[in-house]
Amino acid sequence: MNEASRAREVAQTETHKHSSVLLRSIIIGLTAFLTVVDLFATQAILPSLTRHYGVSPAAMGFAVNASTLGMAFSGLAVGYFSREIEPRKGILISLLVLAIPTALLAHAPGLTTFTILRVTQGLCMAAAFTLTLAYLGEHFSAADSASAFAAYITGNVASNLIGRLISAGVADHFGLATNFYFFAVLNLLGALLVYFTVEKAPPMKEMEKGMNSHFEAWIMHLKNPSLRASFAIGFCVLFAFIGTFTFVNFVLVQPPLGVGAMTLGFVYFVFVPAMATTPLAGRAVRRFGTRQTFWAALGVAAIGLPLLILPSLPAVLIGMVLVGVGTFFAQACATGFVGRAATSDRGAASGLYLACYFFGGLIGSAVLGVIFDIFGWTACVGGIAVSLLVAALLAIFLRTPTVPVAVAVAH
């Protein structure tokens, strides 16, 4: 074979490889999108739901974010039983079952039923989410895992934008019931995608010889000061994120901003910059270190907070962009750190982290909702600032392990 033929063969091989990586990344990103699209999409129709059920913003905000309670418990449960679960089957069943409470939300007779259905959604979403992360970590080489996790990150961030946009548009044009039916169809499409694209794999007990007991693994992780700090950081970051992007909806639709229902969906194009920046977190951590990168991300979010209380739509939108970019980037750093700091039984560590993370969202919606109802938006933003400050102080305890970086994100 002459040099020209070899060169053509190498070029064709590289082209095929890049095409395969691109297709794989699209599939992973789309799977991530369809897994968690229900989580925050409902926030875009919070004012409409508040009017529909005749309740306060705090009560409706808590009900909508009750999905985080289900996600917290599910993260622990899946982490506990992850060694016995075949990932493909677990992801597939979770997405199929998820369509049931999503469809039932269309006719929830009261706030209690609505809340229970949201908790059930959270149980299913977190099961699929946790098993997918475990699958990616176990079935991709160190060289391929970075692109796989980056694709999953992008799909999760995209769900924050596109899910809200779809929800606002469908609810505005066709009503609240149609909105939930539409998202149930998306859940089924996610199951269909997993059925045709995710390979069957043995349960993780056949691949990892970690602790003899699940409780031993949890205790070992909780004894690690860096992991304890990262769990608390996850709590604080979603506390701040939920507080911002739940109650800012009520500020946007009230005077002096007065944003309409459909326009409220378009407001969430503020997540576009986060879609571009979040996948860079791994590279930033490698270059500057975990703590420095995390502090910089929180600094960006903190700069956006004062803009949120100004009586100007452009200022509020810029503030939302900065908080979104900062919290997503910080979350990517923290989640990736857990994967590196847990030297064994990463499924258990991820389960503990996700439980703390989603409990932070639930407590954030409850505490900041009360503050919002009683003291107003400015006080609510002050509570968000305190949460970010606590996260920054906790980062002092992060000690970066000397192993390859892999970054993932949950919100």
Side-chain angles (χ1 to χ4, degrees):
M1 182 182 295
N2 57 37
E3 290 294 328
S5 298
R6 280 198 294 269
R8 281 196 299 271
E9 185 176 327
V10 170
Q12 289 172 354
T13 302
E14 286 298 315
T15 300
H16 178 72
K17 180 180 177 181
H18 289 313
S19 298
S20 299
V21 171
L22 177 61
L23 178 60
R24 184 191 69 198
S25 297
I26 291 172
I27 291 172
I28 292 172
L30 190 56
T31 301
F33 172 84
L34 294 171
T35 298
V36 295
V37 69
D38 297 279
L39 182 56
F40 294 121
T42 313
Q43 288 186 345
I45 56 173
L46 261 173
S48 298
L49 287 169
T50 301
R51 290 192 298 270
H52 178 76
Y53 287 104
V55 296
S56 69
M60 197 69 242
F62 181 83
V64 163
N65 292 312
S67 54
T68 58
L69 177 63
M71 296 191 85
F73 283 118
S74 184
L76 282 175
V78 173
Y80 187 88
F81 293 109
S82 61
R83 299 179 193 174
E84 286 78 34
I85 299 173
E86 195 274 294
R88 179 180 182 273
K89 184 184 293 185
I91 299 167
L92 185 61
I93 292 173
S94 297
L95 291 176
L96 286 171
V97 175
L98 174 59
I100 298 173
T102 305
L104 291 176
L105 280 168
H107 298 288
L111 197 62
T112 300
T113 304
F114 186 97
T115 303
I116 292 171
L117 290 172
R118 285 293 285 173
V119 171
T120 307
Q121 279 188 306
L123 291 169
C124 298
M125 283 187 284
F129 181 86
T130 306
L131 288 170
T132 302
L133 286 182
Y135 178 89
L136 294 178
E138 294 288 349
H139 294 85
F140 285 93
S141 66
D144 290 337
S145 64
S147 63
F149 277 115
Y152 204 75
I153 290 167
T154 306
N156 275 277
V157 180
S159 72
N160 278 268
L161 164 61
I162 300 173
R164 285 177 166 94
L165 186 61
I166 292 173
S167 186
V170 174
D172 188 50
H173 286 87
F174 304 104
L176 291 173
T178 303
N179 170 75
F180 291 115
Y181 287 136
F182 185 87
F183 277 88
V185 172
L186 290 183
N187 301 150
L188 295 176
L189 288 176
L192 193 65
L193 181 65
V194 168
Y195 181 82
F196 285 108
T197 61
V198 175
E199 297 178 2
K200 186 175 181 180
M204 282 175 277
K205 66 179 179 180
E206 298 178 23
M207 296 180 289
E208 180 178 344
K209 305 299 182 183
M211 300 291 101
N212 294 324
S213 159
H214 299 286
F215 287 111
E216 284 182 26
W218 284 350
I219 292 170
M220 179 190 69
H221 294 320
L222 290 171
K223 286 181 178 179
N224 185 324
S226 292
L227 281 176
R228 283 203 308 270
S230 65
F231 298 156
I233 283 171
F235 179 99
C236 293
V237 170
L238 195 61
F239 185 104
F241 181 86
I242 287 280
T244 302
F245 292 100
T246 295
F247 300 106
V248 74
N249 292 284
F250 297 103
V251 176
L252 289 168
V253 298
Q254 294 169 356
L257 302 180
V259 174
M262 182 60 202
T263 308
L264 187 62
F266 286 104
V267 161
Y268 285 97
F269 275 103
V270 296
F271 288 121
V272 170
M275 291 175 63
T277 57
T278 303
L280 303 176
R283 189 181 306 173
V285 168
R286 283 192 295 269
R287 181 168 183 179
F288 303 108
T290 299
R291 281 179 292 177
Q292 289 76 9
T293 303
F294 184 77
W295 282 330
L298 292 185
V300 170
I303 291 171
L305 292 182
L307 300 177
L308 295 176
I309 61 177
L310 297 179
S312 164
L313 183 59
V316 173
L317 293 179
I318 293 171
M320 291 172 70
V321 167
L322 294 174
V323 173
V325 168
T327 53
F328 272 118
F329 211 90
Q331 177 60 17
C333 295
T335 310
F337 177 84
V338 172
R340 302 193 306 279
T343 55
S344 66
D345 216 322
R346 290 184 175 88
S350 295
L352 284 170
Y353 176 81
L354 288 174
C356 293
Y357 174 72
F358 289 117
F359 270 127
L362 182 70
I363 301 302
S365 65
V367 172
L368 294 174
V370 172
I371 292 174
F372 180 82
D373 275 356
I374 298 176
F375 301 105
W377 177 234
T378 300
C380 184
V381 172
I384 295 165
V386 171
S387 179
L388 294 179
L389 177 60
V390 172
L393 294 174
L394 287 167
I396 296 172
F397 299 98
L398 300 182
R399 297 289 183 268
T400 307
T402 55
V403 294
V405 172
V407 179
V409 67
H411 65 252

